[in-house]
């Protein structure tokens, strides 16, 4: 219960008894809101009742008018820490003379559905109990209370009550039942509570599913021994399985890479606490973020000599670190009762899946799909209803552009994002299908958008099955049927095909929104700026354009309340040889870029890497003027530069070349903070159509300066500087010509904090307001918010019937 800590409490008045009904909507179930209301009523001497229904929390309170007014004020100002109130409706009732205040049973109700709360890290109170040998929950792996623990991932249906969660099968013992029924207890009506006597049980299984150990201490002892011995252990957490190993052992990490088919992509690392994190990374201003209830993975600069194997994050100067957030994690790191040490101080904790597949969250699926990766399985019998990955944030000090969300999942999903400024009837329901990679989907109703947890890439059948299951769960939670389905315009996206089929099955329209338009709309939506014209720099890898070409370096003017996105500038053509094969082999794209710019291949790092077959292939493409795709993608330009400088010529994961190019540039700048570096040539060209930034002089300048003795690190830094200068200059020119003072930065390239900081500072110095992402990712993980916002807007004012570059099509 959250007791009032400030604000006057009125003296009782006579002869002015009133009764008021309050309906509180938002994230108000599973966060202690009913105990909060009951505690306030008890403190103020008020009678009444409260209950959950499908719309939120319904409260009736009776007493003096002054104290009822105090109740309404304190109900919101001192709400529980995990509550998110969106609205409170009130109405007067006739006083009944009721005595006392009761918490009633839940009812299904009608109208809007309530909101499922996210999962949160173990709170300080539960941590103290976990470590207290005198307490009855000492070393209980599932300790939780009203203020912490699993919510979203155990919820089967709404309203949120134990019977509608995966805790329904665990009957409360007498001691837990007493706490559950006591309004003064921290676990009053806390649905996930249990103890050693009545809660879930840990087990350790072998690859064949045979039980090796059972019970808290035996299971932990076996797991710790395996981790210390270099084994790979699949650990069932709150939202799914992790694959864990000793982060100080390059042997263990290399085995995990080989088995998981993840050759280079960095692994996340988990540590016990903030002090442990500070031994690995430069925590700086990220301490609050690291230790927040959301407990995301935070990308931070690695400390020199940090006790983490270099093969955990190869080629990078930073680590993705998260603090233990579940009781089970804390117990893994803690010393065992016999005094022997717990798990290694830093553990690789990567998603429990094969590359390109969805997260495993059931024992059977984990044994089936992870049996070739994990040596042991630490699991338990509390089922996971909704799988949920860890959230990821890239940290930069606010002066350098601020922290950037890269994956919005555990701790955030499915918190609502208000569609501020859009007048939306409560009954309006729109579903957006999202993108193909880093997929999320979104549901809008009642003026807010619910963006799903991270689904991932939809390239496999398993991923598409998981996607359909997760979307069905969201619709079931909200008892909603969309009146409009929104998708990307790309004809080959699995998400678009799914959306088309759903729209056909429901007999509702399908709206297709161009990829970069949706990116910019997502940024405007999270800032509540859909009604305002915004010039957007939308830089990403590739996105299907309304003219059937590939875009990715766009200057778009968002207008018509978010419904239109006019292309007013772009990056000049980068030629992508062989489609996806070119993306996987930046060396080929760089070779073609050199030849197009009039530079011979001989003597370059590109030529050294090319096979004879590839060299002939690229020359043929240039001579035949076919076999390549022209793209305005800034992501592909990063690939070209990374390969030209010999930093990354072939990739094994998305954006690897760009990520390593940023790392090299940032490293050089740290080592040479006072060097004044001139920008490279990157001119803006006018002509037919929008202004474009010409990459050919940039390519020539890089090769000339590299041949003249400039280091790859210096040129990597100068490339970032040049791109920031050229893009900022063009954006400022385009914005001023239209009388605009607001410029937005979005698209996956702006996960690059070096570029983000350089562009942001330059635009602000010119007097512009700069919008960047703080709620949803700039990458495709935020696309669904933009899609759903455009869809809602189209229902309100209609869809313009324009040709490209206005980029909506409706069927």
């Amino acid at each position: 219960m959250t007791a009032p800590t400030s604000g006057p409490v009125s003296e009782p008045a006579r002869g002015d008894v009133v009764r008021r009904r309050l309906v509180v909507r938002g994230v108000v179930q599973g966060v202690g809101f009913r105990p909060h209301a009951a505690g306030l009523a008890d403190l103020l001497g008020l009678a009444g009742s409260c209950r959950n229904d499908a719309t939120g929390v319904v409260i009736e309170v009776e007493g003096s008018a002054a104290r009822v007014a105090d109740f309404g004020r304190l109900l919101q100002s001192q709400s529980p820490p995990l509550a998110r109130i969106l609205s409170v409706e009130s109405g007067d009732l006739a006083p009944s003379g009721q005595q006392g205040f009761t918490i009633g049973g839940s009812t299904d109700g009608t109208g809007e559905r309530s909101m499922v709360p996210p999962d949160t890290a173990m709170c300080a109170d539960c941590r103290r109990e976990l470590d207290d040998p005198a307490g009855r929950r000492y070393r209980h792996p599932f300790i939780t209370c009203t203020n912490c623990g699993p919510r979203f991932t155990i919820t089967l249906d709404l309203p949120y009550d134990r019977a509608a969660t995966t805790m329904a099968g665990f009957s409360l013992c007498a001691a837990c039942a007493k706490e559950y029924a006591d309004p003064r207890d921290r676990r009053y009506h806390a649905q996930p509570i249990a103890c050693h006597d009545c809660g879930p049980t840990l087990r350790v299984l072998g690859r064949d599913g045979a039980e090796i150990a059972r019970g808290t201490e035996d299971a932990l002892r076996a797991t710790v021994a395996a981790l210390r011995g270099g084994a790979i252990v699949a650990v069932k957490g709150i939202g799914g399985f992790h694959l864990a190993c000793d982060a100080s052992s390059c042997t263990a990490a290399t085995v995990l890479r080989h088995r998981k088919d993840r050759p280079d992509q960095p692994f996340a690392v988990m540590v016990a606490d903030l002090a442990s994190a500070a031994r690995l990374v430069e925590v700086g201003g990220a301490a609050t973020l690291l230790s927040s209830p959301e407990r995301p993975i935070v990308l931070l600069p690695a400390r020199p000599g940090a006790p983490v194997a270099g093969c955990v994050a190869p080629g990078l100067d930073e680590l993705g670190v998260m603090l233990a957030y579940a009781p089970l994690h804390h117990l893994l790191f803690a010393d065992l009762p016999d005094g022997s040490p717990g798990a290694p101080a830093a553990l690789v904790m990567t998603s429990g899946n094969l590359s390109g597949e969805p997260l495993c969250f059931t024992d059977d699926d984990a044994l089936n799909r992870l049996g070739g990766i994990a040596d042991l399985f630490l699991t338990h019998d509390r089922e996971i209803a909704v799988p949920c990955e860890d959230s990821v944030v890239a940290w930069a000090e606010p002066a350098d552009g601020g922290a950037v969300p890269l994956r919005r999942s555990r701790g955030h999903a499915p918190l609502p994002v208000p569609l501020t400024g859009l007048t939306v009837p409560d009954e309006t329901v729109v579903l957006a299908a999202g993108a193909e990679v880093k997929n999320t989907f979104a549901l809008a109703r009642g003026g807010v958008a619910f963006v799903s947890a991270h689904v991932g890439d939809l390239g496999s059948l398993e991923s598409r099955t998981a996607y359909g299951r997760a979307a069905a769960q969201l619709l079931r939670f909200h008892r909603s049927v969309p009146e409009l389905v929104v998708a990307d315009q790309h004809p080959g996206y699995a998400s678009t095909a799914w959306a088309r089929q759903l729209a056909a099955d429901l007999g509702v329209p399908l709206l297709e929104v161009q990829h970069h338009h949706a990116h910019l709309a997502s940024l405007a939506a999270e800032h509540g700026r859909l009604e305002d014209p915004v010039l957007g720099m939308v830089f990403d890898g590739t996105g299907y354009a309304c003219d059937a070409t590939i875009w990715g370096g766009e200057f778009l003017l968002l207008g018509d309340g978010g419904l239109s996105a006019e292309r007013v500038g772009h990056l000049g053509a980068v030629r992508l040889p062989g489609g996806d094969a070119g993306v996987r082999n930046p060396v080929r794209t760089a070779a073609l870029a050199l030849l197009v710019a009039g530079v011979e291949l001989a003597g370059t790092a590109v030529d050294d890497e090319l096979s004879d077959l590839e060299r002939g292939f690229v020359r043929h493409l240039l001579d035949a003027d076919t076999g390549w795709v022209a793209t305005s993608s800034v992501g592909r330009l990063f690939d070209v530069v990374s390969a030209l400088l010999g930093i990354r010529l072939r990739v094994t994961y998305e954006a690897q070349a760009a990520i390593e190019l940023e790392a090299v540039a940032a490293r050089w700048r740290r080592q040479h903070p006072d060097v004044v570096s001139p920008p490279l040539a990157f001119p803006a060209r006018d002509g037919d159509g929008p202004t474009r930034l010409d990459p050919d002089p940039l390519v020539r300048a890089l090769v000339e300066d590299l041949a003249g003795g400039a280091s790859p690190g210096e040129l990597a830094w100068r490339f970032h500087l040049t791109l920031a200068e050229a893009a900022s200059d063009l954006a400022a020119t385009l914005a001023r010509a239209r009388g605009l003072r607001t410029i937005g930065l979005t698209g996956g390239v702006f996960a690059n904090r070096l570029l983000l900081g350089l562009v942001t500072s330059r635009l602000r110095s010119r007097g512009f307001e700069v919008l960047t992402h703080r709620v949803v990712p700039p990458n495709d993980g935020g696309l669904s918010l933009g899609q759903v916002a455009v869809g809602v807007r189209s229902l309100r004012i209609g869809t313009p019937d324009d040709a490209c570059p206005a980029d909506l099509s409706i069927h």
Side-chain angles (χ1 to χ4, degrees):
M1 181 186 78
T2 303
T5 58
S6 63
V9 176
S10 305
E11 292 297 319
R14 300 180 183 279
D16 63 346
V17 173
V18 299
R19 188 176 183 91
R20 186 156 297 146
R21 185 175 191 264
L22 305 166
V23 179
V24 188
R25 294 192 173 96
V27 181
V28 291
Q29 294 185 15
V31 295
F33 207 89
R34 289 180 296 171
H36 167 58
L40 277 179
D42 182 58
L43 183 76
L44 297 171
L46 300 175
S49 65
C50 66
R51 59 181 170 82
N52 284 344
D53 77 358
T55 69
V57 175
V58 180
I59 304 168
E60 293 186 11
V61 63
E62 183 171 327
S64 73
R67 290 199 170 185
V68 167
D70 284 338
F71 177 90
R73 175 175 57 83
L74 295 171
L75 187 74
Q76 297 186 63
S77 66
Q78 298 186 8
S79 62
L82 302 184
R84 301 288 187 275
I85 297 175
L86 291 183
S87 67
V88 179
E89 297 176 9
S90 65
D92 292 329
L93 303 171
S96 68
Q98 178 182 348
Q99 299 296 309
F101 192 95
T102 62
I103 292 182
S106 298
T107 58
D108 196 30
T110 58
E112 279 188 50
R113 302 290 289 170
S114 182
M115 300 176 188
V116 184
D119 303 320
T120 57
M122 182 173 58
C123 68
D125 289 331
C126 284
R127 176 65 192 273
R128 282 189 288 271
E129 289 184 65
L130 184 74
D131 295 338
D132 181 8
R136 70 185 197 88
R137 289 191 176 86
Y138 175 55
R139 294 180 61 82
H140 176 49
F142 305 95
I143 189 170
T144 183
C145 73
T146 302
N147 298 321
C148 69
R151 298 292 190 275
F152 175 50
T153 53
I154 63 170
T155 300
L156 297 166
D157 205 351
L158 294 174
Y160 177 77
D161 279 308
R162 193 175 180 97
T165 73
T166 59
M167 290 299 293
F170 299 95
S171 298
L172 293 174
C173 66
C176 286
K178 182 179 179 181
E179 293 171 330
Y180 184 86
D182 184 354
R184 294 174 297 276
D185 196 281
R186 195 174 86 253
R187 295 186 171 88
Y188 183 41
H189 279 249
Q191 308 306 340
I193 71 164
C195 69
H196 288 290
D197 295 331
C198 63
T201 302
L202 291 181
R203 295 192 303 155
V204 173
L205 308 177
R207 285 180 168 181
D208 59 358
E211 185 173 286
I212 294 172
R214 170 181 287 268
T216 298
E217 302 307 342
D218 287 347
L220 287 171
R221 191 176 299 108
T223 302
V224 166
L227 290 168
R228 286 194 163 274
I232 313 299
V233 180
V235 179
K236 185 178 181 181
I238 289 178
F241 279 85
H242 285 107
L243 290 165
C245 71
D246 182 356
S248 69
S249 168
C250 198
T251 299
T254 301
V255 169
L256 178 55
R257 287 198 179 282
H258 175 71
R259 293 179 183 177
K260 188 175 163 68
D261 190 23
R262 186 169 168 170
D264 301 302
Q265 191 171 1
F267 287 136
V269 174
M270 178 180 280
V271 293
D273 50 34
L274 202 57
S276 300
R279 287 190 282 273
L280 305 185
V281 293
E282 301 286 352
V283 171
T288 301
L289 179 61
L290 273 169
S291 55
S292 67
E294 294 80 16
R295 291 288 203 282
I297 298 168
V298 184
L299 305 186
L300 288 163
R303 283 187 177 277
V308 170
C311 56
V312 168
L316 305 180
D317 295 333
E318 64 182 8
L319 289 171
V321 176
M322 61 177 156
L323 304 191
Y325 55 85
L328 179 57
H329 300 148
H330 286 276
L331 291 175
L332 280 173
F333 288 112
D335 288 347
L336 296 170
D338 62 7
S340 58
L347 291 174
V348 166
M349 278 280 188
T350 188
S351 300
N353 57 6
L354 281 166
S355 293
E357 291 189 358
L359 184 67
C360 293
F361 67 100
T362 69
D363 288 4
D364 288 345
D365 189 36
L367 288 165
N368 180 45
R369 290 201 284 131
L370 304 181
I373 303 176
D375 300 300
L376 286 181
F377 293 78
L378 175 60
T379 185
H380 54 76
D381 54 350
R382 183 178 69 197
E383 293 182 7
I384 296 169
V386 185
C388 192
E389 294 261 23
D390 298 312
S391 293
V392 183
V393 176
W395 175 256
E397 298 295 339
D400 295 322
V404 182
L406 300 184
R407 189 164 74 194
R408 183 182 183 271
S409 207
R410 178 184 49 75
H412 297 280
L415 285 175
V417 180
L419 296 175
T420 306
L422 294 182
T423 303
V424 186
D426 288 349
E427 64 273 11
T428 297
V429 178
V430 176
L431 181 69
E436 185 76 1
V437 299
K438 296 181 173 64
N439 176 271
T440 64
F441 51 89
L443 178 75
R445 65 165 179 81
V448 297
F450 300 89
V451 181
S452 76
H454 172 81
V455 176
D457 300 351
L458 302 183
S460 68
L461 176 61
E462 293 86 356
S463 296
R464 293 191 290 273
T465 300
Y467 170 78
R469 180 177 59 242
Q473 285 172 323
L474 184 68
L475 291 171
R476 184 177 71 249
F477 280 163
H478 292 274
R479 300 288 196 276
S480 295
V481 177
E483 60 189 282
L484 176 69
V485 179
V486 189
D488 193 275
Q489 286 185 338
H490 197 298
Y493 273 11
S495 58
T496 301
W498 179 88
R500 287 174 180 156
Q501 187 60 56
L502 179 66
D505 292 345
L506 296 176
V508 300
L510 172 71
L511 177 69
E512 294 182 355
V513 180
Q514 196 273 329
H515 191 88
H516 302 94
H517 180 179
H519 269 307
L520 185 53
S522 76
L523 178 64
E526 77 165 68
H527 285 275
R529 304 292 287 273
L530 280 165
E531 296 294 324
D532 304 329
V534 174
L535 179 74
M537 295 167 58
V538 191
F539 292 176
D540 66 356
T542 53
Y544 188 80
C546 51
D547 59 0
T549 62
I550 303 299
W551 288 1
E554 311 310 313
F555 296 79
L556 301 181
L557 179 62
L558 190 70
D560 296 326
L563 281 182
S564 68
E566 180 187 357
R567 192 189 201 196
V568 294
H570 62 89
L571 175 69
V574 174
R575 291 161 177 80
L576 182 63
D580 288 344
V583 175
R584 293 190 299 272
N585 295 278
V587 65
R588 300 179 187 176
T589 309
L592 191 54
L594 286 170
L595 295 176
V596 168
V599 179
E600 279 303 315
L601 301 181
T604 65
V606 168
D607 193 51
D608 292 342
E609 174 68 18
L610 288 170
S611 68
D612 290 342
L613 182 63
E614 287 176 312
R615 195 176 294 106
F617 170 67
V618 171
R619 290 190 182 280
H620 170 74
L621 295 182
L622 181 68
D623 294 340
D625 197 28
T626 188
W628 46 264
V629 177
T631 174
S632 58
S633 166
V634 172
R636 301 289 75 81
L637 179 61
F638 267 85
D639 288 352
V640 167
V641 175
S642 188
L644 288 179
L645 300 182
I647 293 169
R648 174 55 60 178
L649 295 106
R650 306 191 194 272
V651 302
T652 64
Y653 64 90
E654 184 188 12
Q656 182 179 6
I659 290 169
E660 294 184 6
L661 180 65
E662 178 191 7
V664 170
R667 187 183 307 143
W668 186 90
R669 189 57 179 171
R670 285 195 304 271
Q671 295 167 350
H672 305 85
D674 300 323
V675 174
V676 177
S677 302
L680 300 157
F682 199 8
R685 311 286 194 195
D686 291 317
D688 294 337
T691 303
R692 61 184 175 86
L693 295 172
D694 186 356
D696 292 347
L698 174 65
V699 169
R700 289 193 291 269
L702 282 167
V703 174
E704 290 169 4
D705 285 9
L706 191 62
S711 71
E714 179 188 358
L715 291 175
W717 160 249
R718 289 176 62 194
F719 165 69
H720 280 80
L721 188 67
T722 299
L723 178 57
E725 291 278 10
S728 298
D729 286 348
L730 179 54
T733 299
L734 294 170
R736 286 179 180 139
R738 291 158 178 79
L740 300 179
R741 304 304 306 168
T742 303
I743 297 176
L745 311 180
T746 185
V749 167
F750 282 111
N752 180 318
R753 283 147 291 157
L754 184 58
L755 181 66
L756 178 68
L758 288 169
V759 174
T760 298
S761 63
R762 278 156 178 73
L763 290 175
R764 285 177 178 164
S765 70
R766 290 168 166 85
F768 289 98
E769 177 189 18
V770 182
L771 304 182
T772 62
H773 283 275
R774 293 294 180 268
V775 178
V776 299
N779 59 40
D780 284 3
L783 203 73
S784 62
L785 175 62
Q787 290 175 344
V788 86
V790 173
V792 168
R793 184 67 175 162
S794 74
L795 288 177
R796 300 297 300 143
I797 65 174
T799 304
D801 185 21
D802 295 332
C804 184
D807 45 21
L808 293 169
S809 60
I810 193 165
H811 308 289

